[in-house]
């Protein structure tokens, strides 16, 4: 299914509403790093994000080491950033 990319104007508007998220370097994506007390807390967070991702049928690219989780959101079906990334980022921030 094809999805439309955000326009430049939409990107700056939406990004300003997404606390903690910034444009990724060298990729049409947004990213945020989360830090927790330990691995179990980080893993618990990842489990909750996984449930959100399944509900939204939109899945993160992520990297975890110990207490740190780096999340990158981009829309493969749009070959870049779309509203689906904004929706998932907002839901993650609300956890
Ligand atoms: C078939 C399925 O709905 C699609 O492949 C979904 C699944 N999850 C997805 N996740 C992300 N990040 N981008 C997509 O384009 C995407 N597409």
């Amino acid at each position: 299914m094809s999805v439309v990319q955000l326009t430049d104007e939409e990107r700056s508007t939406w990004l300003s509403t997404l606390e903690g998220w910034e444009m990724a370097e060298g990729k049409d994506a947004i990213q945020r790093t989360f830090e927790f007390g330990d691995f179990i807390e980080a893993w618990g967070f990842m489990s909750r994000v996984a449930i959100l991702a399944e509900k939204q049928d939109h899945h993160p690219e992520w990297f975890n080491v110990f207490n740190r989780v780096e999340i990158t959101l981009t829309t493969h079906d749009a070959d870049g950033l779309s509203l689906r990334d904004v929706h998932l980022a907002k839901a993650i921030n609300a956890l």
Side-chain angles (χ1 to χ4, degrees):
M1 186 184 57
S2 77
V3 184
V4 286
Q5 286 186 15
L6 294 178
T7 63
D8 287 347
E9 200 183 336
E10 286 167 336
R11 277 153 207 261
S12 45
T13 307
W14 282 115
L15 203 59
S16 67
T17 72
L18 294 175
E19 202 189 325
W21 293 82
E22 57 183 20
M23 288 300 298
E25 259 178 53
K27 188 177 178 107
D28 193 21
I30 51 175
Q31 61 187 25
R32 181 171 177 182
T33 298
F34 295 85
E35 277 200 14
F36 300 91
D38 57 22
F39 175 71
I40 289 299
E41 279 182 33
W43 185 256
F45 169 75
M46 291 175 79
S47 305
R48 285 182 286 146
V49 171
I51 290 165
L52 287 177
E54 267 305 285
K55 276 191 188 146
Q56 297 191 6
D57 190 29
H58 198 63
H59 301 90
E61 296 176 11
W62 53 10
F63 174 80
N64 160 242
V65 61
F66 183 46
N67 65 338
R68 199 171 80 242
V69 181
E70 297 170 11
I71 301 185
T72 301
L73 298 179
T74 189
T75 302
H76 307 125
D77 296 336
D79 209 17
L81 202 60
S82 81
L83 258 189
R84 300 181 66 177
D85 302 304
V86 174
H87 287 149
L88 184 55
K90 279 191 182 293
I92 291 171
N93 278 6
L95 282 175

